[in-house]
């Protein structure tokens, strides 16, 4: 289901060392080989989204969202990550999908950092 929101030639731009990942096959490989093994479970909560339709290109929309990811890593430790998604949606044939997501993580660490333990 995750890939269904992306165009076949979509890309995700992650912080280094990963960088830019292009196309369904590469995005799927990233999720299956890197992300899923890293997390036992996770939830991404997006908020404060601002959507802007491009006046000069009406089939493009940019969306800026705050994101907080919480979950347990592969060792069962509670983890929190907070940052920003900078998304570009493109309409093709009447359908809107992600063409690009740039992920800017501002903070990540153990839940204990928030609990003061």
């Amino acid at each position: 289901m995750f890939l269904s929101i992306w165009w076949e030639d979509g890309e995700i731009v992650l912080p280094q060392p990963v960088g830019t990942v292009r196309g369904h096959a590469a995005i799927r490989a990233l999720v299956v080989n890197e992300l899923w093994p890293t997390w036992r479970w996770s939830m991404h909560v997006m908020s404060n989204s601002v959507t802007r339709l491009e006046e000069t290109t009406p089939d493009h929309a940019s969306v800026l969202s705050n994101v907080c990811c919480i979950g347990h890593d592969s060792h069962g430790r509670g983890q929190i990550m907070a940052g920003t998604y900078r998304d570009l949606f493109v309409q093709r044939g009447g359908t809107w999908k992600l063409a690009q997501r740039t992920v800017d993580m501002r903070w990540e660490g153990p839940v204990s950092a928030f609990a003061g333990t």
Side-chain angles (χ1 to χ4, degrees), residues 46-110:
M46 296 169 59
S47 65
N48 303 324
S49 296
V50 176
T51 302
R52 189 177 80 204
L53 296 173
E54 304 296 336
E55 290 181 28
T56 57
T57 316
D59 56 350
H60 287 66
S62 59
V63 181
L64 179 70
S65 303
N66 292 336
V67 62
C68 179
C69 174
I70 59 172
H72 285 138
D73 66 16
S74 60
H75 301 288
R77 297 174 298 216
Q79 299 289 323
I80 299 176
M81 296 171 27
T84 304
Y85 288 160
R86 298 174 193 282
D87 295 333
L88 173 64
F89 286 86
V90 174
Q91 179 181 224
R92 298 177 186 165
T95 301
W96 288 90
K97 290 189 181 187
L98 265 172
Q100 182 183 63
R101 168 167 283 169
T102 300
V103 179
D104 296 319
M105 280 298 152
R106 305 275 186 233
W107 189 90
E108 58 185 279

Side-chain angles (χ1 to χ4, degrees), residues 10-31:
E11 64 181 32
I12 185 167
V13 181
L14 296 167
Q16 292 300 328
V18 177
T20 301
V21 178
R22 287 186 184 90
H24 270 192
I27 293 171
R28 183 180 192 289
L30 172 72
V31 170

